[in-house]
Amino acid sequence: IGVVEKITVFSNHPAGVLIVKFEKPNAASDAVNRFNGKARRDGQKVEASYWDGVTDYTYRNVEKEEKETEKRLDEFGDWLENQELPDEFKLKMEE
């Protein structure tokens, strides 16, 4: 097909996305024509298309990230509440 310059694999993406950059544009065209619609070993069909250069295929588990952030903030809040303030920062009451 052509010389491959770079392969980017999005290993966590549920659809198994990868991007292949070819040395020459016609090689990319040949690859899309050759692989689009072909059956994989598992029976699913390959969807080959041109990457728009913008779409981010990085898979993010938003729910998990939100839970981790909430936990981290709670732990930080607990840590802050348990700190002893230096005397210069303590509220002083006049008698």
Side-chain angles (χ1 to χ4, degrees):
I1 294 177
V3 177
V4 174
E5 286 187 354
K6 180 180 178 182
I7 298 175
T8 304
V9 179
F10 296 90
S11 58
N12 292 328
H13 197 286
V17 174
L18 62 96
I19 296 172
V20 180
K21 181 179 180 186
F22 290 92
E23 187 176 77
K24 296 182 180 178
N26 63 334
S29 178
D30 292 344
V32 168
N33 291 332
R34 181 174 179 184
F35 293 108
N36 192 40
K38 296 287 182 185
R40 299 185 332 191
R41 291 182 189 155
D42 63 3
Q44 293 186 5
K45 294 201 180 219
V46 172
E47 182 182 324
S49 60
Y50 298 100
W51 181 47
D52 60 12
V54 178
T55 304
D56 182 3
Y57 292 103
T58 304
Y59 177 74
R60 295 180 56 210
N61 186 335
V62 176
E63 185 177 318
K64 180 180 176 186
E65 288 178 15
E66 287 174 351
K67 286 180 183 178
E68 289 173 351
T69 299
E70 184 177 341
K71 180 181 179 222
R72 193 170 48 252
L73 289 173
D74 287 344
E75 289 173 354
F76 181 65
D78 292 344
W79 177 82
L80 281 175
E81 289 174 2
N82 292 320
Q83 296 302 303
E84 191 65 38
L85 283 176
D87 287 338
E88 62 265 19
F89 293 125
K90 289 184 181 177
L91 184 61
K92 296 181 182 177
M93 304 289 284
E94 291 185 16
E95 292 182 33

